[in-house]
Amino acid sequence: MKHHNESLHALSRRLDPLWWLIARLLRLRRFGAGPKVPQSILLVDLHLLGDLVMLVPLLRVIRRFHPNAHIGLMAGPWGRIILTDTGLVDEFITLRAPWVTKGQGAAGMRGLLRAVRASRERTWDWGIDVRGDVRNALLLALARAKRRVAYDFSGGAALLTDVVPDDGVLRHIVDHHADLAEYLCMPMTAEERIPALGVPKVTTPETPRSRLVGFHFGASMILRRMPLEEACSLVLSFQNQQDTRLILVDAPEIRDLNSALLRRLPANCAARIERWEGTLSELITFLKTLDKLYAMDSGPAHLAAALGVDTTVFFGPHLSQAVRPTGRNVTVVERVDVPCRPCDQHRCTNVKYQECLTQVVPLLDPAQARNL
């Protein structure tokens, strides 16, 4: 089972008759549709950076089993930036989904219509939704994919030809992807389950240089961002390491926190800290240069992990079980003694605001802490 919005899930279930009506209007075939060996496959995953990184294992196994198939991906514009150089996707259909990137107004609806039109320019043998989202299932139906495969987490089974069975147990997203691949007779190897982008980072001691340590204290949701006191505590632990360059990753939503952090630090420590800001493609290039990244539950953490960077990720309101970056280069830090975890991530109901992200720096592995 995946995390989902309970209220939207319930609403979608109540709308099941509507999905059946739409299926009839679109004259969708329910059974025996699409060839067993597809020549074209459309995947839909409209969520953010980390979700696209975790899609890599499924794309990799599809490419292995169907090397000659034309693979399309309907995703946000970040999908093209992250995946273009992997060779796993042949065609990108860009859609900044209004229900994912909110506040777009009429532009969001125009983008949605453009994506639907683009998806109908090709005949798709298979269509795959990895999230079990009825909105994605509808997009596959509108794209006229012959075989439409997805979980049924939020209703819309009438729009699908294949509903992938699920046992209701919360597991990592990649495990769900692996089950979907298994359903399509494409078993995923253990190696393929680890998202990897490009060649893993290799440290070469030939030319001595300063160790580069980055900090990304931001996240798409406010409650996932690092509290100021915790950020100070982590950065101050490096104040005696003069051979280490400390770099704060700036982004619009975290720029003020980074500025407040520098004001809070002792002057001699703040003077050593650099700030970096750039585009997503520039971020990928920057992350490759790091020896270590400390990050919140966010897209950059997944990117760094997939690039082979030694990455420590702090989880707060969200449990790491289903969405943590994976790999031997990843350390996850989270408190297990805060009973309100997980929460809706929109409002903190704890009397101690963001308690789930307080006192997390002392939870770092002792061996790692000695090497700070």
Side-chain angles (χ1 to χ4, degrees):
M1 189 67 181
K2 288 186 180 180
H3 286 296
H4 51 73
N5 185 308
E6 293 286 354
S7 58
L8 286 179
H9 183 277
L11 174 62
S12 177
R13 290 292 183 189
R14 288 196 294 270
L15 292 176
D16 266 344
L18 174 62
W19 311 133
W20 284 99
L21 176 60
I22 291 175
R24 291 291 299 273
L25 292 174
L26 294 176
R27 298 180 180 179
L28 299 178
R29 290 184 61 187
R30 294 274 338 268
F31 306 104
K36 291 185 177 180
V37 180
Q39 297 303 306
S40 56
I41 304 171
L42 175 64
L43 291 91
V44 179
D45 193 342
L46 300 171
H47 279 68
L48 301 178
L49 301 184
D51 299 275
L52 268 295
V53 172
M54 289 188 284
L55 188 62
V56 168
L58 179 59
L59 290 169
R60 192 183 298 155
V61 75
I62 290 174
R63 180 64 83 192
R64 176 164 64 88
F65 276 88
H66 301 289
N68 299 318
H70 180 90
I71 299 175
L73 175 64
M74 186 181 290
W78 42 86
R80 185 187 300 271
I81 297 170
I82 295 170
L83 298 170
T84 290
D85 294 335
T86 64
L88 298 174
V89 178
D90 301 304
E91 178 181 354
F92 291 93
I93 299 174
T94 299
L95 173 56
R96 194 184 289 269
W99 54 88
V100 176
T101 308
K102 296 181 172 63
Q104 299 182 70
M109 292 306 300
R110 288 195 296 269
L112 178 60
L113 293 175
R114 282 195 299 270
V116 170
R117 285 197 297 268
S119 70
R120 293 167 70 90
E121 292 176 0
R122 180 182 296 276
T123 298
W124 300 102
D125 291 332
W126 288 6
I128 300 172
D129 163 40
V130 299
R131 303 194 69 85
D133 189 322
V134 66
R135 295 165 292 196
N136 295 355
L138 180 57
L139 287 171
L140 292 177
L142 293 173
R144 297 182 290 201
K146 296 176 184 177
R147 186 181 186 188
R148 299 171 302 282
V149 184
Y151 291 101
D152 181 24
F153 294 143
S154 62
L159 301 170
L160 304 171
T161 60
D162 298 71
V163 174
V164 181
D166 179 71
D167 59 10
V169 177
L170 179 65
R171 296 193 303 281
H172 196 275
I173 287 178
V174 173
D175 292 329
H176 282 287
H177 294 176
D179 288 348
L180 194 155
E182 183 80 29
Y183 177 86
L184 291 169
C185 302
M186 299 183 296
M188 190 180 291
T189 66
E191 182 181 359
E192 284 173 327
R193 286 174 182 253
I194 305 297
L197 294 170
V199 179
K201 181 181 176 66
V202 177
T203 303
T204 54
E206 299 174 0
T207 304
R209 64 171 180 82
S210 297
R211 184 167 176 254
L212 300 182
V213 176
F215 305 90
H216 182 267
F217 293 128
S220 59
M221 306 184 78
I222 293 175
L223 291 181
R224 292 188 190 178
R225 299 172 192 171
M226 182 70 94
L228 181 59
E229 290 298 329
E230 291 299 308
C232 283
S233 176
L234 180 59
V235 173
L236 281 171
S237 65
F238 290 87
Q239 62 182 335
N240 295 324
Q241 296 191 22
Q242 298 302 316
D243 61 341
T244 301
R245 287 175 57 192
L246 308 180
I247 307 173
L248 290 176
V249 178
D250 262 338
E253 77 279 358
I254 202 67
R255 199 177 292 125
D256 289 345
L257 173 61
N258 284 344
S259 297
L261 170 63
L262 293 176
R263 290 193 298 269
R264 181 73 63 91
L265 294 171
N268 61 336
C269 181
R272 292 181 51 208
I273 298 176
E274 307 168 38
R275 297 176 75 164
W276 182 94
E277 186 171 4
T279 65
L280 176 56
S281 58
E282 291 168 340
L283 173 64
I284 293 172
T285 301
F286 164 74
L287 291 174
K288 292 178 182 178
T289 70
L290 295 179
D291 296 292
K292 177 72 182 183
L293 177 70
Y294 292 91
M296 310 309 293
D297 171 18
S298 62
H302 283 277
L303 283 172
L307 291 167
V309 178
D310 185 8
T311 305
T312 292
V313 190
F314 296 95
F315 276 80
H318 202 187
L319 300 178
S320 69
Q321 177 183 357
V323 295
R324 60 180 289 165
T326 56
R328 294 181 178 179
N329 56 311
V330 178
T331 301
V332 169
V333 177
E334 62 185 326
R335 289 186 57 172
V336 297
D337 60 338
V338 180
C340 55
R341 296 182 70 232
C343 68
D344 65 6
Q345 304 182 67
H346 294 286
R347 59 190 180 90
C348 183
T349 59
N350 196 310
V351 293
K352 184 175 182 179
Y353 185 73
Q354 276 190 299
E355 184 182 13
C356 57
L357 281 171
T358 61
Q359 295 299 308
V360 290
V361 173
L363 297 179
L364 290 168
D365 179 81
Q368 184 186 38
R370 285 195 296 271
N371 294 322
L372 284 175

